[in-house]
Amino acid sequence: MWSRPKRLLSALVNRGYSVLSLAYFKERGLPDSMEEIPLEYFETTFAWRARQPTIMPDKYGLIGGSKGAEAALLLASRYSKVEVVVALTPSSVVWSGIPRNRFDLSRHGSSSWFYRGEGLPFLRVEYGRSDWWSLLTLRLKKKGEEALRNEADVESAAIPVDDCRCAILLLSGRGDQVWPTTMMCDQVMRRLKEARYPHPYQHLAYNTGHTGLVRNKDGR
């Protein structure tokens, strides 16, 4: 849901980090929508990077924003090679996929992510015809808050962050209108605290919107 944060990536490269900006949909040979993306696709990228002679093998940091942050936390919970995650405006749960035509209400019924041939449990947002303006403007925070009130579904779709073995930094925008990211970061922090998570973890909330953390101005 973000354009590539080129300034952030350039800053990392200038500090000596090897950075790969990885597309996982809407590019040649990839799915044309943010639906049912296999997590194993990212595993093939880990394997490719491990073969590069100038890169330290099997030690990775992941940076993702929005749905990319959702993916980063999921990957860190499954792959021990991940040593740090920086999640910008992340989620605490797996949400339903985003169809190519988000106004097609019949298509909001699949998971964003697949693993070993099966869709991961996800939290569904119920949209009606009266929600067309929210879908058009991507002001979906209230719909997300409604879905997060279903405790049973939230627990089923929760990203198992307590299975991670890495440092975790969460950054959220209190003014985010796309989804309730500050609320979800608080859920992640609570889950880590209850699990007595042994690695460093922190949540920083800023007075900005969905994309403001990398654009230096308020997003939606």
Side-chain angles (χ1 to χ4, degrees):
M1 293 179 71
W2 278 12
S3 59
R4 294 182 180 89
K6 294 182 180 179
R7 183 166 55 184
L8 173 61
L9 299 182
S10 296
L12 290 171
V13 170
N14 291 337
R15 285 166 173 77
Y17 291 95
S18 174
V19 178
L20 173 65
S21 180
L22 182 65
Y24 48 92
F25 72 107
K26 294 186 75 172
E27 295 288 351
R28 183 177 180 182
L30 297 175
D32 63 359
S33 63
M34 180 61 254
E35 301 173 279
E36 302 179 349
I37 307 296
L39 293 181
E40 290 89 345
Y41 166 72
F42 299 93
E43 187 176 40
T44 62
T45 303
F46 293 157
W48 175 82
R49 287 182 63 86
R51 295 193 298 269
Q52 307 310 304
T54 59
I55 298 175
M56 185 180 296
D58 298 337
K59 292 183 182 292
Y60 305 107
L62 302 179
I63 300 177
S66 191
K67 293 295 286 186
E70 186 180 312
L73 290 171
L74 280 170
L75 291 167
S77 74
R78 285 166 167 77
Y79 299 108
S80 60
K81 298 175 182 180
V82 179
E83 294 199 334
V84 62
V85 170
V86 178
L88 308 168
T89 63
S91 170
S92 58
V93 298
V94 174
W95 291 92
S96 54
I98 304 172
R100 185 172 184 178
N101 177 9
R102 62 180 180 270
F103 300 101
D104 183 354
L105 303 183
S106 66
R107 291 293 305 277
H108 288 265
S110 61
S111 181
S112 295
W113 313 101
F114 258 44
Y115 187 62
R116 295 180 178 175
E118 295 184 359
L120 298 186
F122 64 96
L123 189 60
R124 184 193 302 268
V125 178
E126 298 294 341
Y127 295 111
R129 295 189 181 279
S130 62
D131 295 314
W132 69 271
W133 180 251
S134 296
L135 287 165
L136 177 65
T137 59
L138 291 178
R139 299 180 71 86
L140 304 171
K141 181 179 180 179
K142 289 184 178 179
K143 300 296 293 186
E145 289 173 340
E146 291 174 6
L148 288 166
R149 294 192 188 109
N150 189 322
E151 295 183 3
D153 287 351
V154 167
E155 183 59 30
S156 174
I159 299 172
V161 290
D162 42 319
D163 289 340
C164 298
R165 283 163 280 183
C166 63
I168 299 174
L169 176 60
L170 311 172
L171 297 99
S172 70
R174 297 187 186 94
D176 192 332
Q177 295 302 312
V178 174
W179 60 9
T181 184
T182 299
M183 174 183 176
M184 293 190 290
C185 285
D186 289 340
Q187 291 176 338
V188 171
M189 293 293 287
R190 186 162 56 249
R191 189 179 189 97
L192 293 173
K193 183 177 181 180
E194 291 174 352
R196 297 184 179 182
Y197 190 69
H199 307 283
Y201 60 97
Q202 186 177 14
H203 170 211
L204 302 175
Y206 296 91
N207 294 323
T208 188
H210 192 66
T211 59
L213 292 170
V214 294
R215 291 186 179 181
N216 199 31
K217 64 179 180 180
D218 281 356
R220 283 189 291 264

